Amino acid sequence: MSSTMNRNNTLQTMRNPLDVVVRPESVALVGITVNNPEHWTRTFLDSLVEFGFERPIFLVNPRGGEINGRKVYTSLEEVPSTIEYVISTVPAKASAGLVRQCATKGTKVVHFCTAGFSETGSKEGIEMERELVAAGRETSIRLLGPNCMGIYCPESRLAIDPSFPKEAGPVAFISQSGANVNQLVRRSALRGIRFSKAFSFGNACDLSESDILEYLAEDDATEIIAIYIEGVKDGRRFRKALEKAAAAKPVVLLKGGVTAAGARAVFGHTGALAGSEGTWDALCRQTGVIKVSSMDEIVDVLVALRFMTLPRGNRTLVVGAGGGASVMTTDQIEKNGLAVPALPHDVVEQLREFSSDAGNILRNPIDYSQDLWQPGKTVKMAGIATASSVIDLLLVFTSAGLFSSKSGSKLPEYAEMIVAAMKGCSKPAASVVELSASPEEQALMFTLFQKLVQAEFPVFFSASSAARAISTLLECNQRKQRRGRLIEEVVSKGAAYS
Amino acid sequence: MSSTMNRNNTLQTMRNPLDVVVRPESVALVGITVNNPEHWTRTFLDSLVEFGFERPIFLVNPRGGEINGRKVYTSLEEVPSTIEYVISTVPAKASAGLVRQCATKGTKVVHFCTAGFSETGSKEGIEMERELVAAGRETSIRLLGPNCMGIYCPESRLAIDPSFPKEAGPVAFISQSGANVNQLVRRSALRGIRFSKAFSFGNACDLSESDILEYLAEDDATEIIAIYIEGVKDGRRFRKALEKAAAAKPVVLLKGGVTAAGARAVFGHTGALAGSEGTWDALCRQTGVIKVSSMDEIVDVLVALRFMTLPRGNRTLVVGAGGGASVMTTDQIEKNGLAVPALPHDVVEQLREFSSDAGNILRNPIDYSQDLWQPGKTVKMAGIATASSVIDLLLVFTSAGLFSSKSGSKLPEYAEMIVAAMKGCSKPAASVVELSASPEEQALMFTLFQKLVQAEFPVFFSASSAARAISTLLECNQRKQRRGRLIEEVVSKGAAYS
């Protein structure tokens, strides 16, 4: 399609509005603050510049002036060109008027960042949102928001924060809350996850969670979908969209506001009706969606989906440092749905030749504290024990604060040992590197953590969270198997090893 | 008592063996490695030197020689004095013999660090532990361990790690596992907790968890007792000791090996029999002991006991930054036993004058994201809302990564705002500062965290863990109230404010 045709109005009208959001021909930032570079409305410009957005960007504020050498137009009318996508930070009461002005500029979609609409619960707020919707209908302009941060799409150099990763990846995120996009993208990025798109949709007065979900279900750049949702307005449609998406790729869902007080907070946040936890549990079970219950769990499940093959079962070989830690680790793993079986006699016999201490070390968990600095031994033992028919996966555990400034020099060798153990074993493998509050310890643990992330291994921050993420996927897979489908077929696409 | 009388043998015989462990007249480190300063057996010497232990220290190893200018005796016989307390790192098979040699030196207690006894499950190991016990009986020498790290007592300058805090505090810890002493002391120290004593007792072949618990119940320097236990040999006696201790001061207990596989790991770790989780739950309920289920939870409960007055009820005002975060935070708090009630109409009216956004900000949680840099406002709103009769406590929440290198300069002002809000309010208060994996973010969050710890406020790493710790104490208190006792009476001793 030539760029001339692309600018043809008739064809543009037919573009999916989410295509416009994801890859706009031009963007206007309306309501951007001119004099205060620290003001939150500057985030969008900072992000577009940092990401190197290559299409026209127009700035609009009645004050006029300049921002970093870019002209600020005093009104939309003054902009000497059409504007496909508008990001608005104008006050709530000016929003409906803005939509009508946009109609004169060939605008397809307006994203309203501004809050103060139906989520306030006030008469005025509800009325203003109604007017906004009416203006959208009148002008055939589609609306994203209000009360949200909009789109992050590294491929087309759109972001809602300049510090987001610039590389794209196979995970898409749909979030009612913009703050949660920020949290999820940052936390996932640290764990090696990259995104195709992340949408925050706020009050969803027009473009909704279902529109976005249907769009992502068919998006070739998206292999895994994560959703943070507080409530839906059209439950039947959302259910169908979930079904369609979950049939095509793994879908992970976090419902915000599952407790009564949480539901009240939801209403204050995005004006949505929350629904009970039981309803959402059933919805996810029936549609084959992986339901989780915290932001950390979303990230954990994404890490497992992205960087490990689903194990055949839940029987885990635990290899880790620290005696008391092993007992606690075993408890945490079993409480979170994985099993830590005893190793059979013949495997113990095979391990015996490596052990200086015939007792402790030959059990599961294998506590290699005493051989911490003899990595070759640990790698061999992990390999032999993981190959046993009673074991489905390997979990390598490192306690917070295992390294001090004294032993920090041995960290690279230790990291290589873990990589070798995970690469060398014949079953899916994951690792746990505990966080520490102490910045010195944390810096050392982070070095280890990063080496494992760079090697594209799944790394978790606790044995509980590793076990919970993996057992959640196993349970979901069992349900799907009963229904004749295998999540694994989809999951294995993203596997770092097979 | 004169020092002459103190050295009188008859009187010494009458000393409680745990008094000897806690404040020995002299120490010998038998089995210390001479040539390798990195060897783990050197930890005890390094710790005594670092802590400035002022009584005689003797080093013994058949090789002889010197360590940092200190003579290494080739045998116990060679030591030209009595030795009250021996820390042994000799091999398991030489241990019983060592006890008999100690008899010639007037030794009262030997701590066996060495593993390889009954915890291996091997015939040889079990037999060696039996011989050890027999040697102890024969010689009237009391034994600590084997398979443990012994004593940390900052007041008498004894430690098992040179990096432990040198200041003493009101918390005592009893742990079957030495590694857990290390973990608990470090993690608690970061949160502002200091210790009177910490004991690791390993296989407890002679001096047991009950001996230590009875001792600490009467110890004036100890106001709160924490226990990590994997299994007991004399259940009836332990139950009595728990009852006695819990009647005198708060006792927090973590049972390791509550799952079947965990119990197996316990046996491999300290050779103890684990018992079912139900048994332990009942034991704690009946004796008024606070039962927790992870090391992190022990620390959280200690923080709550040490730095906050127990609230009258569970109704929590949440003040925090980030919209989606508030919904999730509310869910996490309610799921973990606290309530987040709506504020009454009159309170909302009082708050209205401070709010730029009449909707969101007047609810509970109060989301002050938009007024993040107008701290005075937040402090006043927190004060007014917390004073409401529907609120029992204040929880101030800060998301991980709230500060970037850009906004980091505002952190001191932000920290002062939280301190002012917590000090200014008329109810018990706690705060949450989330950890981050990113070292840069973590360093900023840690600065905030430390300011709150220095101000002696309770700081938790997540809303869930804050809610769980506080609701655990509330539940335990309710049980005690029904039995006519108030945990609060004891707890308020350690309160930072009333």
Side-chain angles (χ1 to χ4, degrees):
Chain A
M1 194 185 291
S2 76
S3 71
T4 320
M5 284 185 68
N6 221 356
R7 289 209 190 86
N8 176 298
N9 242 341
T10 321
L11 273 178
Q12 279 202 1
T13 311
M14 297 174 66
R15 272 184 91 187
N16 183 322
L18 290 169
D19 275 335
V20 174
V21 173
V22 157
R23 193 181 299 275
E25 292 292 321
S26 53
V27 175
L29 307 178
V30 182
I32 185 169
T33 296
V34 179
N35 296 326
N36 177 7
E38 304 290 311
H39 197 271
W40 67 270
T41 59
R42 293 288 279 269
T43 310
F44 297 101
L45 179 60
D46 293 347
S47 303
L48 293 174
V49 170
E50 174 65 29
F51 272 65
F53 184 74
E54 286 174 326
R55 300 175 187 202
I57 304 171
F58 303 103
L59 311 181
V60 181
N61 186 308
R63 287 168 179 270
E66 271 195 2
I67 297 176
N68 302 332
R70 287 171 191 270
K71 179 178 170 64
V72 178
Y73 295 93
T74 57
S75 70
L76 266 183
E77 284 79 18
E78 209 195 321
V79 176
S81 132
T82 58
I83 307 162
E84 203 181 31
Y85 185 53
V86 169
I87 300 176
S88 163
T89 51
V90 305
K93 60 180 185 296
S95 297
L98 176 64
V99 173
R100 292 194 182 91
Q101 287 167 42
C102 286
T104 67
K105 306 305 284 180
T107 302
K108 302 285 168 284
V109 183
V110 186
H111 155 215
F112 284 97
C113 204
T114 327
F117 292 90
S118 65
E119 84 282 2
T120 60
S122 70
K123 252 190 184 169
E124 304 81 18
I126 294 169
E127 185 50 37
M128 281 191 289
E129 193 164 314
R130 239 183 241 143
E131 279 171 32
L132 190 63
V133 172
R137 291 227 176 99
E138 265 172 42
T139 55
S140 299
I141 291 175
R142 303 300 301 265
L143 310 174
L144 183 63
N147 185 22
C148 71
M149 291 298 285
I151 180 78
Y152 163 51
C153 179
E155 202 198 332
S156 50
R157 307 192 181 180
L158 287 165
I160 59 177
D161 193 293
S163 68
F164 278 7
K166 296 196 180 62
E167 322 85 69
V171 176
F173 185 42
I174 310 177
S175 172
Q176 207 143 358
S177 152
N180 281 356
V181 171
N182 208 302
Q183 294 274 326
L184 188 91
V185 169
R186 285 172 193 282
R187 293 193 193 185
S188 303
L190 279 171
R191 311 272 289 273
I193 304 264
R194 293 295 181 271
F195 291 83
S196 58
K197 281 111 193 154
F199 291 89
S200 116
F201 61 87
N203 297 7
C205 79
D206 176 15
L207 289 169
S208 71
E209 62 284 351
S210 298
D211 291 310
I212 301 169
L213 188 51
E214 286 165 5
Y215 181 78
L216 291 174
E218 292 182 350
D219 178 32
D220 288 336
T222 298
E223 291 171 27
I224 301 166
I225 300 173
I227 306 174
Y228 170 77
I229 195 150
E230 299 185 342
V232 289
K233 283 165 184 172
D234 183 349
R236 195 170 300 181
R237 182 167 167 222
F238 186 61
R239 188 202 170 87
K240 275 192 191 153
L242 274 183
E243 249 170 9
K244 178 182 162 188
K249 42 197 92 172
V251 177
V252 189
L253 184 143
L254 171 62
K255 171 66 179 64
V258 289
T259 61
R264 200 165 37 70
V266 159
F267 187 78
H269 186 219
T270 52
L273 294 175
S276 77
E277 178 145 37
T279 314
W280 283 87
D281 281 342
L283 178 68
C284 290
R285 264 200 316 277
Q286 290 158 9
T287 53
V289 165
I290 304 153
K291 185 165 177 286
V292 296
S293 57
S294 71
M295 286 299 284
D296 288 334
E297 265 187 73
I298 294 191
V299 182
D300 289 332
V301 165
L302 289 178
V303 164
L305 282 169
R306 181 73 185 79
F307 299 119
M308 70 189 286
T309 313
L310 196 66
R312 298 276 153 197
N314 72 348
R315 299 165 306 168
T316 309
L317 177 78
V318 183
V319 173
S326 285
V327 172
M328 291 312 301
T329 303
T330 303
D331 277 346
Q332 301 300 333
I333 292 171
E334 292 235 331
K335 279 184 177 181
N336 285 285
L338 298 184
V340 184
L343 292 172
H345 185 69
D346 62 319
V347 177
V348 174
E349 285 307 307
Q350 275 180 277
L351 295 179
R352 204 173 281 278
E353 64 173 296
F354 299 101
S355 171
S356 57
D357 175 356
N360 273 357
I361 206 163
L362 302 184
R363 292 189 176 87
N364 181 15
I366 294 181
D367 172 7
Y368 61 92
S369 303
Q370 291 183 27
D371 297 307
L372 203 55
W373 314 122
Q374 299 183 47
K377 220 159 140 176
T378 305
V379 172
K380 276 183 200 151
M381 291 179 69
I384 291 170
T386 309
S388 161
S389 62
V390 308
I391 295 298
D392 299 308
L393 77 150
L394 168 66
L395 190 67
V396 185
F397 179 88
T398 308
S399 294
L402 184 64
F403 294 96
S404 60
S405 47
K406 204 172 156 189
S407 59
S409 62
K410 287 177 172 166
L411 196 140
E413 192 190 351
Y414 181 83
E416 271 168 39
M417 182 270 280
I418 295 189
V419 169
M422 294 175 80
K423 272 196 180 149
C425 86
S426 53
K427 308 270 170 72
S431 59
V432 172
V433 177
E434 287 188 335
L435 291 181
S436 172
S438 141
E440 298 77 36
E441 279 180 10
Q442 178 65 2
L444 288 165
M445 296 308 274
F446 191 69
T447 306
L448 171 60
F449 167 83
Q450 267 194 316
K451 281 183 192 293
L452 299 176
V453 168
Q454 276 154 12
E456 299 214 314
F457 284 117
V459 194
F460 301 89
F461 293 131
S462 69
S464 322
S465 56
R468 195 184 305 121
I470 296 166
S471 66
T472 298
L473 292 183
L474 283 169
E475 277 164 35
C476 192
N477 193 51
Q478 278 171 350
R479 279 199 303 273
K480 289 210 174 186
Q481 273 183 315
R482 286 197 292 270
R483 297 164 63 198
R485 269 184 292 148
L486 261 173
I487 199 174
E488 192 178 356
E489 285 164 21
V490 186
V491 174
S492 62
K493 279 203 286 182
Y497 43 86
S498 60
Chain B
M1 193 185 289
S2 76
S3 72
T4 321
M5 280 185 70
N6 221 354
R7 291 209 188 85
N8 176 298
N9 240 343
T10 321
L11 273 178
Q12 279 202 1
T13 310
M14 297 174 65
R15 277 184 89 186
N16 183 320
L18 290 169
D19 276 334
V20 174
V21 172
V22 157
R23 193 181 299 273
E25 292 291 321
S26 53
V27 175
L29 306 177
V30 181
I32 186 169
T33 296
V34 180
N35 296 325
N36 177 7
E38 304 289 312
H39 198 271
W40 67 270
T41 59
R42 293 287 279 268
T43 310
F44 297 101
L45 179 60
D46 293 347
S47 303
L48 293 174
V49 170
E50 174 65 31
F51 272 64
F53 185 75
E54 287 174 322
R55 301 176 186 200
I57 303 171
F58 303 103
L59 311 180
V60 180
N61 185 307
R63 287 168 179 268
E66 272 195 1
I67 297 175
N68 302 333
R70 286 170 192 270
K71 180 177 170 62
V72 178
Y73 296 94
T74 56
S75 70
L76 267 183
E77 284 79 17
E78 211 196 320
V79 176
S81 132
T82 57
I83 309 162
E84 203 182 30
Y85 185 52
V86 168
I87 299 176
S88 163
T89 51
V90 304
K93 61 179 185 296
S95 297
L98 176 64
V99 173
R100 291 192 183 93
Q101 286 167 41
C102 285
T104 67
K105 306 305 283 181
T107 301
K108 302 286 168 282
V109 183
V110 186
H111 155 216
F112 284 96
C113 205
T114 327
F117 292 90
S118 65
E119 84 283 1
T120 60
S122 70
K123 250 189 186 172
E124 305 80 15
I126 294 168
E127 184 49 37
M128 281 191 289
E129 193 163 314
R130 237 181 244 145
E131 278 170 33
L132 190 62
V133 172
R137 292 226 176 102
E138 263 171 45
T139 56
S140 299
I141 291 174
R142 303 301 300 265
L143 310 175
L144 183 62
N147 185 23
C148 70
M149 291 297 285
I151 180 78
Y152 163 52
C153 180
E155 202 199 333
S156 49
R157 308 193 179 179
L158 287 165
I160 61 177
D161 193 293
S163 68
F164 278 9
K166 294 194 182 63
E167 321 85 69
V171 177
F173 184 42
I174 311 177
S175 172
Q176 207 142 356
S177 153
N180 281 356
V181 171
N182 208 302
Q183 294 273 326
L184 188 90
V185 170
R186 285 172 194 282
R187 294 193 193 183
S188 303
L190 279 170
R191 312 272 288 274
I193 305 261
R194 293 294 181 273
F195 291 84
S196 57
K197 281 112 193 154
F199 291 89
S200 116
F201 61 86
N203 296 7
C205 79
D206 176 15
L207 290 168
S208 70
E209 60 284 353
S210 298
D211 291 310
I212 301 169
L213 188 51
E214 286 166 4
Y215 181 79
L216 291 173
E218 293 183 348
D219 178 32
D220 288 336
T222 298
E223 292 172 26
I224 301 166
I225 300 172
I227 306 174
Y228 170 78
I229 195 151
E230 299 186 341
V232 289
K233 283 164 183 171
D234 182 349
R236 193 169 300 183
R237 185 171 164 216
F238 185 62
R239 186 200 172 90
K240 275 191 189 156
L242 274 183
E243 249 170 8
K244 178 183 162 187
K249 43 197 94 173
V251 177
V252 189
L253 185 144
L254 169 64
K255 172 64 177 68
V258 288
T259 60
R264 200 166 36 69
V266 160
F267 187 78
H269 186 219
T270 51
L273 294 175
S276 78
E277 179 144 35
T279 313
W280 283 87
D281 281 342
L283 178 67
C284 290
R285 264 200 316 278
Q286 290 159 7
T287 53
V289 164
I290 304 153
K291 186 167 175 284
V292 296
S293 57
S294 70
M295 286 299 284
D296 288 334
E297 265 186 73
I298 294 190
V299 183
D300 289 333
V301 165
L302 290 178
V303 164
L305 283 169
R306 181 74 185 80
F307 298 119
M308 72 189 286
T309 313
L310 196 66
R312 297 276 154 197
N314 73 348
R315 299 165 307 168
T316 309
L317 177 78
V318 183
V319 173
S326 284
V327 173
M328 291 311 303
T329 302
T330 304
D331 278 345
Q332 301 300 332
I333 291 171
E334 292 236 332
K335 280 185 177 181
N336 285 284
L338 297 184
V340 185
L343 292 172
H345 185 68
D346 61 319
V347 178
V348 173
E349 285 308 305
Q350 276 181 275
L351 295 179
R352 205 173 282 279
E353 63 174 297
F354 300 101
S355 172
S356 55
D357 174 356
N360 272 358
I361 207 163
L362 303 184
R363 291 190 177 86
N364 182 14
I366 294 181
D367 172 7
Y368 60 92
S369 304
Q370 290 181 28
D371 297 307
L372 202 55
W373 313 124
Q374 298 184 45
K377 218 160 142 176
T378 306
V379 172
K380 275 182 201 150
M381 292 179 69
I384 291 169
T386 309
S388 161
S389 63
V390 308
I391 295 296
D392 300 308
L393 76 151
L394 168 67
L395 191 66
V396 185
F397 180 87
T398 308
S399 295
L402 183 65
F403 294 96
S404 60
S405 48
K406 206 170 154 192
S407 59
S409 63
K410 288 175 173 167
L411 196 140
E413 193 189 350
Y414 181 85
E416 269 167 42
M417 182 270 279
I418 296 189
V419 169
M422 294 176 79
K423 272 196 182 151
C425 86
S426 54
K427 307 270 169 75
S431 60
V432 172
V433 178
E434 286 189 334
L435 290 183
S436 171
S438 140
E440 298 78 35
E441 280 180 9
Q442 178 65 2
L444 287 165
M445 297 307 274
F446 191 69
T447 306
L448 170 61
F449 166 84
Q450 267 193 317
K451 282 186 192 293
L452 299 176
V453 168
Q454 276 155 13
E456 297 215 316
F457 284 117
V459 195
F460 301 89
F461 294 130
S462 69
S464 322
S465 57
R468 194 184 306 122
I470 296 166
S471 67
T472 298
L473 292 184
L474 283 169
E475 278 165 34
C476 192
N477 194 51
Q478 279 171 349
R479 278 199 305 272
K480 288 208 175 189
Q481 273 183 316
R482 285 197 292 270
R483 296 165 63 197
R485 269 184 293 149
L486 262 172
I487 201 174
E488 194 179 353
E489 285 165 20
V490 186
V491 174
S492 60
K493 279 204 286 181
Y497 44 87
S498 60

